[in-house]
Amino acid sequence: MLRRSIAAVATAAALVLAPAVAAEASTPLPATNTAHRCVSHTTGLCGWTHRQRPANRYETAQCRDLSLSYSRNSSGTCSHHHGVRYWFK
């Protein structure tokens, strides 16, 4: 009985979340930086200037070790990943 209830809740959650994920996946990223500006900072380059695009619209920077950053502010971004390679916001 508990397994059936858990399965029902999981199915309901999947039905609610699926349209939102599908809509986000179908939204193309802009070819150029039209909605964001690169952070004016001493490290890293503007990704848009160097024809680099973010992996998704939430990515704020790409670190030098190629990991992605979703930090809300520029302070400390990629500090444990050898610094920022490209800024996107």
Side-chain angles (χ1 to χ4, degrees):
M1 184 71 168
L2 180 61
R3 285 185 185 178
R4 190 177 296 169
S5 296
I6 291 172
V9 170
T11 303
L15 291 174
V16 170
L17 296 176
V21 172
E24 183 176 313
S26 66
T27 305
L29 293 171
T32 58
N33 182 1
T34 57
H36 308 291
R37 61 178 179 78
C38 291
V39 173
S40 177
H41 204 271
T42 58
T43 63
L45 304 168
C46 180
W48 297 103
T49 303
H50 296 276
R51 297 185 181 186
Q52 299 295 315
R53 295 176 59 194
N56 56 51
R57 64 183 181 164
Y58 301 108
E59 180 185 355
T60 57
Q62 182 185 57
C63 303
R64 290 189 186 197
D65 67 355
L66 302 181
S67 61
L68 305 177
S69 175
Y70 299 93
S71 62
R72 292 186 178 194
N73 55 42
S74 61
S75 178
T77 301
C78 298
S79 61
H80 296 287
H81 299 275
H82 310 291
V84 173
R85 182 176 186 178
Y86 295 115
W87 289 103
F88 295 110
K89 292 185 180 180

